[in-house]
Amino acid sequence: MAKRKVAYRRRHQNRLSMFLVSLVVVMILVVVAVKSVELNEKDEAYQAKIEMLNSQIQQEKERSQEIEEFEKYTKTKQYAEEVAKEKLGLVHEGEIIFKQEN
């Protein structure tokens, strides 16, 4: 009879320990699943940010190109004449200026 009690206790303890191990494994799986979802959300947010930054880089490259073209234009004779006419009021010889009356 003592052998039966010992065998029963072992089986009972064995089942309890298996249940606890299973419970720990399930808890770990739940934590991993939750963290996986959080990481996927962060990844999506970072991908959207990368897209936005890439578009800003492209816009800045275009703006840089426009500035370079404007720099080249400012070194031309045509630009110097325009500035002289607009800001300084200079004209070519023989050119006639018409002013509007208010």
Side-chain angles (χ1 to χ4, degrees), residues 14-66:
N14 194 15
R15 285 182 185 171
L16 181 62
S17 61
M18 289 297 284
F19 174 74
L20 292 176
V21 168
S22 299
L23 183 65
V24 168
V25 169
V26 168
M27 288 173 51
I28 290 173
L29 287 175
V30 168
V31 169
V32 168
V34 168
K35 290 296 180 180
S36 175
V37 169
E38 288 177 5
L39 286 175
N40 284 337
E41 290 174 357
K42 280 185 180 181
D43 184 46
E44 289 174 5
Y46 287 144
Q47 291 298 329
K49 190 171 185 177
I50 287 172
E51 290 292 325
M52 181 188 68
L53 292 174
N54 283 336
S55 68
Q56 286 180 355
I57 288 171
Q58 184 63 32
Q59 289 173 352
E60 290 301 319
K61 284 181 181 179
E62 291 172 2
R63 184 172 173 261
S64 173
Q65 186 177 6
E66 289 174 3

